[in-house]
Amino acid sequence: MLDPKTAWQPYAPTDANPWTRAKVGHLYRRAGFGATAAELDAGLAAGHAKTLDRILKGEPETDDFARTSEFMAGERSMPPGAPQGRLSAWWLDRMLKTRHPLREKLTLFWHNHFATSNAKVQNARFMLAQYRLMQEHALGSFATLLVSMGTDPAMLVWLDTNTSTKAAPNENYARELMELFSLGIGNYTEADIRQAAKAFTGYEIKDGKGVFNRRQHDASEKAVFGKRGKFTGEDIAKLCLDSEACPRFIVRKLYAFLISDTDAPAAALIDPLAEEYRKSGFDTGKLVATMLRSNLFFAPASYRAKIKSPVEFAAGTVRALEGTAGPLPLAGALEGLGQVLFAPPSVKGWDGGRAWLNAQTLLARNNLALALTSTDDARFGHSCDPTRLLDVHQVKPTEAEAVEFLLTVFLQGDAPDAARDKLLDYLKGARAVKYPAYWSATDAANHRTRALTHLVLTLPDYQLA
Amino acid sequence: MSTRRDFLRDSSLLGFGATVPTFLGRTALAAPAADKAGAKDTVLVVVQLTGGNDGLNTVVPFTNADYYKQRPNIAIAKDQVKKLTDDVGLHPAMGALAKLYTDDSAVCVVQGVGYPNPSQSHFRSMDIWHAAGTAEALTEGWLGNALKKQQVPAFHLAGGNETAPLALAGAPVRVPSITSLDDFKLKTAGATGADNAVQKGVITSVANATASSAKPNNLLDFVSRTQTTTYASSEKLASIGKNYAPKVPYPTTALATKLKLAAQLIDAGIGARLFYVSIDGFDTHAGQGGAAGAHANLLTQVSEAIGAFYRDLAGRGHKDRLCVMTFSEFGRRAYENGSKGTDHGAGAPMLLVGGKVKPGVVGKQPALKGLKDGNLVHDTDFRSVYAAVLNQWLGIDAKPIVGDGFKAAEVFAR
């Protein structure tokens, strides 16, 4: 572990710890959805400071993309009863095409934080509205986001606030607000929850908006965290924000999201950042910038210290292949990998980390990689054909060059020698394969390139972010 | 064309060492003939009711006036319950299990199960049930620890969005999660059978090499070990017949489909003895309904799926090998809330189903007076039920797993 004093200082390249293509890849994986070969080259050439500035700032979306995405989110193409697949495909499409990946990535962080599922909400309009709320504040103020979430229609349905009455409030939102959204277990009492539940009465949905109905609200005095007052839901959210536990809780969670989910960072590491976060009025953009610029972020301990989420795996693969996989089938395939956008398994969100990989989801990953690269899958066809990638970059197929190129694009070279040797052996051995007689030499070479690419995507290292 | 068998023989699949699931190297275990609990071929199927199942509306105290007072909107009327005893009965949606209770004497209801100082967080309480402990950091599960003592083939039969449960963590070989046998295959795009075999060989041998060279417990080690066990399991399961014909029809629900797969794996003779399934949706804060409605629908699914599963296996002569155990992370509050639902509670019943369970209702029915913060106080610690399952059913010493001081609950026929 790095000294907490220097851990959060900005990284500066040195001879001993230079700016490398591997670091560019690392930054693109964590701050976005992976890099293309061109982005790796450009990032390496531009140097570390410029690359970071560009990623943190993002670029405005192209008019075409903004218009299309907006249109697809319109009432006509996305009515309240729009199917789950369309909804998740819409967001996946944004992740694939956005010019501000960091913002989409942090929106995904907040989606996992305020994990709301359309399986219960059953209203695509509400889910989109919640997406917009999270996207607007993704790199903005967590305080505003937390308070606003209390009247977000999707959330009102998801945690039953809209049916909670003065006579007998239900505790669902009050509990998850403290346990999952702001403080973490151990930082409140059951009595706090029961009292806070009274404050979350009188919240309704009217004309698709969350509104406060004073007549249904329990305006009596409540005692929460040792303070007394005629608190409303907004007051309770603010009391949570005032708690010392709150900034620490969010910083820890963001640490796991951006840096490493394999270790539990020491308090000495978290506390200074939590204090800054609190002082900044919960400026998430500033916090994210500090983390991404830091020595710790670029330290060996943080490198490949996460398992790729299904979205990262799929989007990263398509981006690196410079392909255009249809978001609808791709979003459909993600279910098998264990991540459906807008449908997390519970209010705790996806467990993430090692939980991403089990026997079934691993095979689904391997087989999605095959479907994308093989060109004979009905869902994706030639949309991500690896032979085109090699053509574009003028790489000779089925030579050692192809292995080097693919390992650089997908893994920035992070493959053990044994893996490299096996891939080369495969190409050598494949010369003896009895391909169908009607295949030309090019057909056979292309087939080998596609198979080789699939093999690269199954390497253990490629499963790590 | 090379066949799967050729592939098994030719590929390096068999060189896995310690990471191979035990069943790979083993011939099918002896056919069922369990005449006593704890026999070597007993099967345990854990059914997790995720979200906090409302115990009071599952096993209904229909003679208790307080029950009807506390639940003006959602109580189950006396004439609707499926009576088990003079005082309690199952929810009307649970006809299939009620029939197993009355006709087959194959159901044991354990009343008022919980643990001291119950947590009302879904996630914390679930972890406590999974780990059979209350330490601050819980990293290994009770079944994972049981598998350390006795390595038997185990399966987590998962839904699309489901991760492996903590209960199975700590097993010496990772328990595979399986959604369907059809999807449980590693595919390659070989031009010929031999080409496919070579490609699979590259994938498995790289994983194998990484598994044996990575530092223990780092992520790469984890990934490659998951790969090696998965590929090996998938090859093994590829040999299982595609056309399983159940003895009775199963409902088309997700839970029933999982249990059907369990039946298929049990019947395949690969020695499978431990299964973990779950059904979500029990977090009924609002509009849970009474005799009909959201909670009733969930109980219907549970009852009919387990009912079909039991009858299917009974039809194959496996009923005395079978023990299905249901649990939830907590029950719900005795009083209904203003949303015609119930908030997170504590003590609740568990159900055990099988040919060798002690039929009847055991444990004390939780009192509806003297609630603790509105919660039912537990009578039986869940670790006593685990202790019975481990000691008397799986034949594994429970003490190191659940800890001292948990006397096995009397849930099996002696």
Side-chain angles (χ1 to χ4, degrees):
Chain A
M1 164 108 49
L2 284 177
D3 180 346
K5 286 200 189 78
T6 53
W8 299 119
Q9 299 292 316
Y11 157 78
T14 60
D15 286 346
N17 188 13
W19 181 242
T20 57
R21 188 177 266 106
K23 285 197 176 71
V24 182
H26 172 67
L27 179 60
Y28 267 89
R29 283 194 301 279
R30 303 299 179 84
F33 302 94
T36 61
E39 285 165 339
L40 289 171
D41 290 345
L44 186 62
H48 130 276
K50 271 191 188 152
T51 305
L52 262 164
D53 286 346
R54 203 168 44 69
I55 280 178
L56 289 170
K57 193 154 167 275
E59 287 172 44
E61 305 294 3
T62 62
D63 284 349
D64 187 41
F65 170 74
R67 217 174 23 242
T68 310
S69 187
E70 195 57 36
F71 176 79
M72 293 306 290
E75 179 99 35
R76 277 182 66 180
S77 49
M78 202 81 79
Q84 177 63 47
R86 200 181 301 166
L87 193 57
S88 24
W90 176 81
W91 192 358
L92 195 57
D93 187 51
R94 293 191 62 84
M95 292 172 177
L96 287 167
K97 293 180 187 155
T98 181
R99 300 179 62 148
H100 197 343
L102 179 63
R103 187 173 57 199
E104 291 302 323
K105 192 73 180 273
L106 263 293
T107 310
L108 180 59
F109 171 77
W110 293 119
H111 176 45
N112 191 45
H113 183 76
F114 292 108
T116 303
S117 172
N118 194 40
K120 175 170 173 182
V121 175
Q122 295 281 318
N123 187 322
R125 307 303 309 159
F126 288 0
M127 297 307 291
L128 281 177
Q130 190 184 71
Y131 165 86
R132 291 205 172 96
L133 175 66
M134 295 186 299
Q135 203 235 23
E136 181 186 350
H137 302 291
L139 292 163
S141 160
F142 170 66
T144 310
L145 181 56
L146 186 71
V147 170
S148 309
M149 204 47 90
T151 55
D152 173 72
M155 185 59 84
L156 289 174
V157 177
W158 174 233
L159 293 182
D160 304 308
T161 322
N162 63 333
T163 64
S164 194
T165 64
K166 186 156 62 173
N170 87 59
E171 296 167 6
N172 210 358
Y173 187 74
R175 177 181 305 279
E176 306 310 3
L177 169 68
M178 293 181 196
E179 181 179 338
L180 299 173
F181 300 161
S182 66
L183 304 178
I185 207 159
N187 294 304
Y188 54 87
T189 65
E190 284 296 315
D192 289 330
I193 288 176
R194 288 172 194 229
Q195 291 282 306
K198 295 187 191 181
F200 286 102
T201 51
Y203 292 86
E204 299 169 355
I205 300 170
K206 222 171 178 182
D207 302 327
K209 297 254 185 311
V211 294
F212 183 55
N213 179 349
R214 222 163 263 291
R215 279 177 313 179
Q216 290 300 322
H217 175 70
D218 180 347
S220 66
E221 189 179 80
K222 299 112 187 159
V224 178
F225 309 145
K227 297 194 177 71
R228 292 183 165 275
K230 294 181 175 177
F231 301 131
T232 62
E234 183 169 339
D235 295 330
I236 302 293
K238 285 178 176 159
L239 286 174
C240 290
L241 288 162
D242 286 343
S243 163
E244 276 190 3
C246 181
R248 286 191 196 132
F249 183 68
I250 303 298
V251 168
R252 274 189 189 275
K253 213 160 166 181
L254 202 56
Y255 176 95
F257 185 77
L258 287 176
I259 299 178
S260 164
D261 55 16
T262 54
D263 62 344
L269 206 53
I270 295 301
D271 289 353
L273 237 55
E275 181 55 17
E276 264 183 61
Y277 192 37
R278 190 187 62 76
K279 275 192 198 150
S280 73
F282 294 91
D283 183 338
T284 307
K286 211 172 147 199
L287 174 63
V288 167
T290 304
M291 285 186 174
L292 293 181
R293 285 185 192 280
S294 68
N295 281 318
L296 184 58
F297 180 78
F298 289 106
S302 311
Y303 190 70
R304 299 226 184 256
K306 281 175 67 70
I307 296 204
K308 278 179 187 157
S309 67
V311 163
E312 288 172 324
F313 179 85
T317 301
V318 172
R319 292 198 88 247
L321 285 167
E322 301 175 24
T324 56
L328 214 50
L330 195 61
L334 281 182
E335 183 170 5
L337 276 68
Q339 190 175 30
V340 179
L341 295 170
F342 294 115
S346 80
V347 63
K348 196 165 62 133
W350 293 279
D351 288 341
R354 294 180 182 216
W356 283 130
L357 275 195
N358 61 44
Q360 191 80 59
T361 57
L362 170 75
L363 289 172
R365 255 176 212 227
N366 293 165
N367 293 340
L368 173 62
L370 179 71
L372 287 169
T373 53
S374 69
T375 71
D376 61 4
D377 184 279
R379 294 167 294 171
F380 303 111
H382 284 257
S383 65
C384 289
D385 188 352
T387 64
R388 195 181 48 215
L389 180 71
L390 267 66
D391 278 350
V392 167
H393 293 274
Q394 298 175 341
V395 180
K396 284 182 210 133
T398 68
E399 301 289 329
E401 240 181 275
V403 172
E404 270 327 299
F405 174 76
L406 292 172
L407 288 179
T408 302
V409 170
F410 290 104
L411 280 157
Q412 292 86 56
D414 294 337
D417 291 343
R420 208 175 291 259
D421 293 345
K422 293 273 179 199
L423 295 172
L424 286 167
D425 285 351
Y426 162 72
L427 287 181
K428 281 181 204 142
R431 286 184 205 141
V433 171
K434 290 192 181 68
Y435 292 105
Y438 58 88
W439 282 19
S440 67
T442 312
D443 289 341
N446 285 345
H447 186 265
R448 285 193 290 270
T449 299
R450 291 168 191 144
L452 174 69
T453 311
H454 173 232
L455 296 178
V456 168
L457 299 181
T458 65
L459 293 178
D461 299 79
Y462 188 67
Q463 316 312 316
L464 303 182
Chain B
M1 273 301 279
S2 99
T3 63
R4 192 197 58 79
R5 239 175 277 287
D6 295 334
F7 167 59
L8 259 183
R9 193 190 54 224
D10 299 340
S11 74
S12 52
L13 246 183
L14 297 175
F16 283 116
T19 60
V20 182
T22 43
F23 63 74
L24 259 189
R26 196 186 278 188
T27 51
L29 292 180
D35 48 9
K36 65 180 174 69
K40 285 275 177 275
D41 57 357
T42 49
V43 172
L44 174 68
V45 181
V46 177
V47 178
Q48 172 180 312
L49 314 179
T50 310
N53 177 40
D54 184 10
L56 272 183
N57 271 17
T58 305
V59 180
V60 181
F62 60 83
T63 56
N64 193 327
D66 289 327
Y67 168 72
Y68 292 97
K69 244 181 268 165
Q70 289 164 356
R71 301 188 156 200
N73 292 293
I74 63 165
I76 310 295
K78 183 176 176 174
D79 59 356
Q80 287 188 299
V81 299
K82 305 276 181 192
K83 282 182 192 152
L84 303 178
T85 68
D86 292 343
D87 299 314
V88 297
L90 290 178
H91 187 287
M94 303 176 79
L97 282 180
K99 207 163 151 40
L100 284 187
Y101 182 93
T102 50
D103 298 0
D104 299 72
S105 296
V107 180
C108 174
V109 176
V110 193
Q111 284 278 42
V113 190
Y115 57 93
N117 304 316
S119 168
Q120 268 148 59
S121 155
H122 289 293
F123 311 106
R124 172 66 184 164
S125 196
M126 192 61 97
D127 284 355
I128 287 171
W129 277 81
H130 279 223
T134 54
E136 196 165 316
L138 299 169
T139 53
E140 294 193 339
W142 72 288
L143 295 169
N145 283 324
L147 288 166
K148 275 187 200 158
K149 306 276 172 201
Q150 192 174 332
Q151 280 202 44
V152 299
F155 296 94
H156 168 226
L157 305 180
N161 233 345
E162 245 177 73
T163 53
L166 173 64
L168 295 168
V173 175
R174 210 164 167 221
V175 175
S177 296
I178 300 178
T179 306
S180 83
L181 289 183
D182 285 342
D183 295 333
F184 202 69
K185 287 183 193 118
L186 176 64
K187 296 173 190 154
T188 49
T192 64
D195 193 13
N196 274 323
V198 171
Q199 291 181 30
K200 285 184 188 173
V202 172
I203 295 174
T204 53
S205 62
V206 170
N208 197 19
T210 310
S212 35
S213 65
K215 283 185 209 130
N217 294 320
N218 79 359
L219 274 188
L220 207 54
D221 177 66
F222 167 80
V223 171
S224 52
R225 275 174 194 279
T226 301
Q227 285 185 293
T228 55
T229 58
T230 298
Y231 301 145
S233 303
S234 115
E235 275 311 317
K236 175 69 187 176
L237 295 186
S239 64
I240 288 180
K242 310 270 180 292
N243 304 313
Y244 181 71
K247 297 283 182 189
V248 297
Y250 280 78
T252 53
T253 59
L255 181 65
T257 305
K258 291 174 192 175
L259 290 181
K260 188 163 88 178
L261 179 53
Q264 186 174 1
L265 291 167
I266 290 168
D267 199 57
I270 51 172
R273 289 186 57 197
L274 189 55
F275 296 89
Y276 201 99
V277 303
S278 58
I279 167 172
D280 199 350
F282 288 87
D283 193 20
T284 50
H285 285 278
Q288 74 175 61
H295 186 238
N297 292 342
L298 290 163
L299 293 180
T300 305
Q301 290 174 49
V302 171
S303 169
E304 291 186 352
I306 295 176
F309 180 55
Y310 177 87
R311 298 214 179 277
D312 183 19
L313 287 178
R316 290 166 198 279
H318 295 319
K319 79 178 166 64
D320 289 349
R321 297 176 62 201
L322 177 67
C323 174
V324 178
M325 184 192 93
T326 74
F327 83 97
S328 190
E329 70 265 40
F330 41 60
R332 306 192 78 81
R333 215 64 63 72
Y335 285 87
E336 68 182 41
N337 63 29
S339 312
K340 295 191 173 73
T342 43
D343 290 320
H344 301 180
M350 292 173 77
L351 303 178
L352 286 88
V353 180
K356 288 281 177 184
V357 304
K358 180 182 174 183
V361 178
V362 305
K364 261 209 312 254
Q365 188 193 325
L368 293 182
K369 288 196 176 15
L371 299 169
K372 192 160 188 275
D373 299 328
N375 288 325
L376 303 170
V377 179
H378 81 278
D379 173 56
T380 301
D381 194 293
F382 72 98
R383 286 161 288 194
S384 298
V385 181
Y386 286 6
V389 167
L390 291 166
N391 282 334
Q392 297 166 18
W393 191 247
L394 295 175
I396 295 170
D397 182 14
K399 212 186 215 180
I401 297 170
V402 303
D404 277 331
F406 299 104
K407 192 168 161 279
E410 296 191 7
V411 295
F412 292 107
R414 305 309 299 266

